[in-house]
Amino acid sequence: MPLRSLNAPDALDVLSSFDTVIDVRSPAEFAEDHLPGAVNWPVLSNEERITVGTLYVQTSPLEARKLGAALVARNIANHLDQWVRDRPRHWQPLVYCWRGGQRSGTMAWFLDQIGFRTTRLDGGYKGYRAQVRADLAIPPTDLRLTVLAGRTGSGKTRLLPALAAEGAQVLDLEALACHRGSILGGLPGQPQPSQKRFDSLLWSALRALDTSRPVFVESESKQIGRLQLPAALVGQQHGPGRVRRV
């Protein structure tokens, strides 16, 4: 029986139905961005991935595949021993790599052969990233945005947590960006995420909002620190009747 697979739109619609979302890319790829809630079971380390890639270009694809296969087999064995031994029979993982190819296919095959109902993300992270970009390009017209505006230092940023504490629904863009905006700069000891990671965090936050309730958000320009906000969201913030000055 062929391995089960889902494309990005279908997988994201049922993401919560999987017990574990497994990213088998290298730790560096995972750190840049990953699917919501994913765990990293790399089949190649950062160094191993570079070594195999260099061998592929400088020596031959065959030699690279032989080395890569040996490394992947050892790493998968370690993951199975460390993370899979105690999984129950009904455990259902979703596995992905960069494009849904050999790395995720190999891990998914092993899990499937053990007897777990395993699904591979067709198109991998690349397909997920394309879906995130497409969704963020659509103006969120279904959201009831109330935009808090005012001069720097007027307390807009402090108002959002206070509203959340009272049960209001907030979208804290500066918290997602790890930056206080304007001249106030970054948060001490908290580097900003990559643009891809910020997009994923924002995408997840938008999906979690209840469209039947108001959403309080601080007025922002097109950029927070070095991170770009989606033009569709910026435009929606500045719609008529949305801005409240504080």
Side-chain angles (χ1 to χ4, degrees), residues 132-179:
V132 168
R133 288 172 57 88
D135 288 347
L136 292 180
I138 301 172
T141 55
D142 56 340
L143 294 181
R144 298 168 55 192
L145 294 178
T146 297
V147 182
L148 306 178
R151 293 185 177 184
T152 298
S154 62
K156 304 185 300 296
T157 301
R158 294 193 301 273
L159 185 55
L160 288 179
L163 287 167
E166 293 298 321
Q169 189 170 224
V170 304
L171 177 61
D172 195 338
L173 298 172
E174 292 183 0
L176 296 177
C178 292
H179 198 279

Side-chain angles (χ1 to χ4, degrees), residues 51-52 55-56 58-71:
T51 298
V52 172
L55 189 64
Y56 187 97
Q58 296 184 356
T59 304
S60 78
L62 177 61
E63 294 303 315
R65 291 191 186 103
K66 288 192 289 186
L67 175 61
L71 293 171

